[in-house]
Amino acid sequence: MIKCCIFDLDGTILNTITTITHFVNKTLQKFGYATITEEQCKYFVGNGARLLITRTLAHLGVTDESTVNAVLDAYDREYKSNPYHLTNKYSGIDELLLGLRRAGISLAVVSNKQDRIAKDAVAHFFPNTFDLVIGGRDGVPLKPAPDAPLAVLSELGFTHEECAFIGDTSVDGQTGKNMDAAMTIGVSWGFRKRYELAMADRIADEPSEILRLLTERNI
């Protein structure tokens, strides 16, 4: 039985791509660089803020580390100044989470977003909903390394055989495989194309499909 669901954050339960693109472009303009589109940003995100900025600058032909560090620091300040600007919950997510809790399934979030920002975002948009939230922390490898989700399972008292991992990118699919989750579910409403979710055991096009899939599995 599935007793615990671990969700990715950005692109899975929160639509943050407009927010991220806004603050990336605001930062780029401060440094005199060209801006990027939301579609481009979707392919730069997923592995933490440093890689987001590194990929963005590489796209613009800038690769020196000192510039990356300066732009990253500025981006962090901009994002933290108003982290919920333009962010919203995906339709149907509240109903999904409520249904899972009613079914006795524990809920957690593992994100590559900075730990404090991830915790604050979940508390803001989903108060009293998740049992545990872990973001990027010093000394802990980011997804797709399994360290953070396995730490969640250990703290909550579950095994990988009792866990479903849910996310919107190949990073999340690989995370599910690396932690040997009982089921990995890709969501098609996030930041990547459906074909990029092939590593997942199942693909959901609507949040209600996840609830139906997991509750039917547990019957």
Side-chain angles (χ1 to χ4, degrees):
M1 293 181 66
I2 299 298
K3 298 181 180 180
C4 179
C5 285
I6 300 179
F7 288 84
D8 169 54
L9 182 60
D10 296 328
T12 300
I13 59 175
L14 284 182
N15 187 357
T16 57
I17 195 62
T18 303
T19 306
I20 295 169
T21 306
H22 170 78
F23 287 117
V24 166
N25 283 337
K26 190 174 181 181
T27 305
L28 291 174
Q29 289 174 324
K30 285 189 172 183
F31 284 81
Y33 295 124
T35 58
I36 61 173
T37 67
E38 279 192 15
E39 285 303 308
Q40 289 170 329
C41 194
K42 286 179 180 179
Y43 286 87
F44 298 153
V45 299
N47 298 89
R50 175 168 290 278
L51 272 179
L52 163 65
I53 297 303
T54 299
R55 290 165 176 164
T56 298
L57 290 176
H59 167 75
L60 299 173
V62 180
T63 58
D64 65 282
E65 187 173 355
S66 62
T67 301
V68 170
N69 290 336
V71 174
L72 175 61
D73 287 344
Y75 168 76
D76 281 343
R77 290 193 298 272
E78 290 289 350
Y79 197 103
K80 290 174 181 176
S81 70
N82 192 7
Y84 313 133
H85 180 58
L86 304 174
T87 292
N88 54 75
K89 295 184 280 189
Y90 286 107
S91 177
I93 291 296
D94 280 335
E95 293 79 4
L96 165 62
L97 299 176
L98 178 59
L100 291 172
R101 291 192 69 88
R102 285 176 172 170
I105 297 174
S106 293
L107 304 177
V109 168
V110 172
S111 174
N112 282 343
K113 190 185 289 292
Q114 291 179 21
D115 188 60
R116 185 71 267 155
I117 296 176
K119 284 180 166 62
D120 288 347
V122 172
H124 178 82
F125 288 99
F126 305 101
N128 305 311
T129 300
F130 287 90
D131 300 294
L132 188 60
V133 178
I134 291 181
R137 299 174 294 176
D138 291 342
V140 180
L142 298 176
K143 298 180 298 181
D147 303 59
L150 290 177
V152 165
L153 293 180
S154 177
E155 185 164 340
L156 295 181
F158 300 110
T159 70
H160 62 91
E161 297 170 332
E162 299 170 316
C163 174
F165 193 92
I166 302 159
D168 70 305
T169 70
S170 59
V171 171
D172 297 308
Q174 188 62 58
T175 303
K177 297 305 179 185
N178 289 345
M179 66 178 291
D180 198 21
M183 180 178 290
T184 300
I185 302 173
V187 304
S188 65
W189 58 78
F191 297 169
R192 301 293 170 81
K193 304 296 184 183
R194 186 184 179 89
Y195 71 86
E196 297 178 71
L197 305 175
M199 188 176 297
D201 299 311
R202 300 290 292 270
I203 299 176
D205 296 315
E206 300 287 343
S208 59
E209 294 180 31
I210 299 175
L211 180 60
R212 183 170 63 252
L213 174 65
L214 295 181
T215 52
E216 287 177 355
R217 178 188 174 103
N218 283 354
I219 293 175

